[in-house]
Amino acid sequence: MRIGELSARTGASVRSLRYYEDQGLLTSTRSTSGQRHYTAYDVERVEFLQRLYAAGLSSRTIAVILPCVDAPSDENTDAAFERMVRERDRLSDHITELVQTRDALDELMAVNRAHRATTAVAVGTPAASQSCA
């Protein structure tokens, strides 16, 4: 199949597919006119790549993990595992930061509500009409 069909079957943009190939994550054969051709296996490959990207992994990390999928060996498995541990730790740190940011926003919202309630009582207007946004 050509790149447009692979794009349609996976939902990945043509640009993304070219990027995956540039990064060595996806391969194609070329016709004599230079068009990329893919196999049915490549549909699964692209869907797998999309899941890894959606999980927040970078193309560098994916490139380290893929040999474990493509050619399992002790060396490939160990390298992939070490990288996945680092990525999981990075994601956990990011989640912690996001929770702290959400908690700070909750505090600001509570201060805003309290301010609106006291302003409404002092002015005699409904609190809903007092807003920062």
Side-chain angles (χ1 to χ4, degrees):
M1 78 187 81
R2 291 198 271 180
I3 196 166
E5 184 179 347
L6 182 60
S7 173
R9 290 178 66 178
T10 62
S13 68
V14 169
R15 182 176 179 180
S16 292
L17 297 173
R18 287 184 183 128
Y19 176 77
Y20 298 164
E21 197 165 335
D22 289 343
Q23 297 300 306
L25 308 176
L26 181 66
T27 58
S28 65
T29 57
R30 298 287 181 129
S31 69
T32 54
S33 62
Q35 293 179 331
R36 292 173 169 94
H37 289 276
Y38 301 93
T39 66
Y41 167 80
D42 293 318
V43 172
E44 293 176 27
R45 176 71 162 216
V46 170
E47 290 169 345
F48 180 63
L49 293 172
Q50 289 173 311
R51 286 192 303 274
L52 294 174
Y53 277 112
L57 302 181
S58 68
S59 57
R60 280 188 180 156
T61 298
I62 294 169
V64 171
I65 293 171
L66 284 179
C68 183
V69 174
D70 296 336
S73 69
D74 289 343
E75 183 180 331
N76 289 342
T77 302
D78 290 346
F81 183 79
E82 290 172 18
R83 188 59 177 253
M84 287 185 282
V85 167
R86 285 196 308 269
E87 285 301 312
R88 187 180 190 289
D89 290 345
R90 183 188 64 78
L91 289 171
S92 293
D93 291 344
H94 187 62
I95 289 168
T96 299
E97 292 171 7
L98 288 171
V99 168
Q100 291 171 345
T101 301
R102 184 201 56 207
D103 292 347
L105 183 58
D106 286 344
E107 289 177 29
L108 289 171
M109 291 169 64
V111 168
N112 180 275
R113 282 188 201 104
H115 173 75
R116 289 173 46 199
T118 58
T119 303
V121 169
V123 177
T125 60
S129 68
Q130 305 293 319
S131 175
C132 291

